[in-house]
Amino acid sequence: MSVSEHPVALSIEQRVGGTASLLATVMALPLLDGLFVALLLAGTLETTVGMVETGLLVFGGSATVAVILAEMDDEPRKLLRSILLIGAVLIPLAALQAAIAPMLESVLDLVIFERFAGVVILAIAAKTASSKVSEYLPRASIIILLGLIGSLQPAALEISVVLDGELMARAAVTAAIGVAFAMVVAAAAPTLRGAVDIDRFRFGSSVALGVFALPILGVLNTEAPIALAVLVVAAVLAYSPDGSSALG
């Protein structure tokens, strides 16, 4: 990438063409690789704080910031149109995945599966922090697949369509938070370019992701928005209005 070599964004950039497609893939990746379903089943959307953290760290996050600021040099109005189109697909897909979550829940040992969900977040955090580490870690989809196999209880399968309207709404709102974050970054892009050290924000985001995984793993038993606080600190430390710490 031209400003910040974000490992996750770079790996996607090699497979898709065009900056708009790159941004759409980066933001939709949690839906494509099964991470969002894993977080749904792990109960991360049960609280408002969990929804905000998931929206900002999973659908927003440093990869989204890196693509908007480092790769997309369009004017804010065009950027906002692109992000709205992405959101028009992303939000309904998030709600759709929430619709199938209860059926998956009936066939899984959630205690075991939640541990795999925590591990996959830690793996993504490590990949975000270091391109070298990302070469040795398996894809999120592979870890989630192993989690599904390890926690599978076929005898408990209930094939029934039970739509959880509240869960679907929470999923849609969570995705909308990520889209709104991307829109804020796009609207402020002319000011943020050259004033944000994207690599510093990327590292801070990876730390926030790691902290986000701790309650899921059962290591940290708290509902305090610690991951959100880490993300805010990372954003503050990465911002330098005079451009002294920026890469551009």
Side-chain angles (χ1 to χ4, degrees):
M1 297 177 70
S2 57
V3 175
S4 177
E5 295 188 354
H6 193 290
V8 176
L10 269 175
S11 65
I12 296 172
E13 186 179 30
Q14 294 168 358
R15 296 192 292 268
V16 302
T19 54
S21 297
L22 175 60
L23 180 62
T25 306
V26 165
M27 295 186 69
L29 192 60
L31 299 175
L32 300 175
D33 64 12
L35 174 60
F36 187 60
V37 169
L39 293 177
L40 279 169
L41 295 175
T44 58
L45 305 191
E46 291 179 356
T47 65
T48 301
V49 169
M51 291 166 60
V52 173
E53 289 181 334
T54 303
L56 293 179
L57 288 169
V58 176
F59 288 109
S62 60
T64 296
V65 173
V67 172
I68 293 174
L69 298 185
E71 289 295 320
M72 304 182 77
D73 54 3
D74 300 318
E75 62 178 10
R77 184 175 298 179
K78 186 174 181 180
L79 283 175
L80 290 173
R81 283 201 299 268
S82 297
I83 295 170
L84 280 173
L85 288 174
I86 294 170
V89 176
L90 199 70
I91 295 171
L93 281 179
L96 180 62
Q97 290 199 353
I100 66 172
M103 186 178 72
L104 290 174
E105 186 175 1
S106 71
V107 75
L108 297 177
D109 184 330
L110 289 184
V111 174
I112 296 175
F113 187 75
E114 284 177 10
R115 300 299 180 262
F116 277 91
V119 169
V120 77
I121 296 173
L122 287 178
I124 293 173
K127 288 186 175 187
T128 300
S130 171
S131 57
K132 181 61 68 175
V133 171
S134 67
E135 296 176 5
Y136 300 100
L137 292 176
R139 294 182 180 179
S141 56
I142 294 176
I143 299 175
I144 292 171
L145 179 60
L146 291 174
L148 288 171
I149 294 172
S151 57
L152 191 63
Q153 300 180 116
L157 177 62
E158 296 179 8
I159 302 178
S160 59
V161 180
V162 180
L163 298 180
D164 187 333
E166 182 180 353
L167 183 61
M168 292 175 66
R170 286 181 175 274
V173 171
T174 299
I177 290 171
V179 173
F181 173 74
M183 292 181 69
V184 170
V185 174
T191 301
L192 295 178
R193 289 191 186 103
V196 172
D197 186 328
I198 300 177
D199 283 336
R200 186 177 294 175
F201 181 69
R202 170 171 60 86
F203 182 77
S205 296
S206 71
V207 175
L209 272 172
V211 173
F212 181 54
L214 296 182
I216 299 174
L217 289 167
V219 176
L220 184 65
N221 186 19
T222 180
E223 294 184 359
I226 300 177
L228 185 59
V230 173
L231 184 65
V232 171
V233 171
V236 172
L237 293 178
Y239 183 65
S240 178
D242 59 7
S244 58
S245 66
L247 296 178

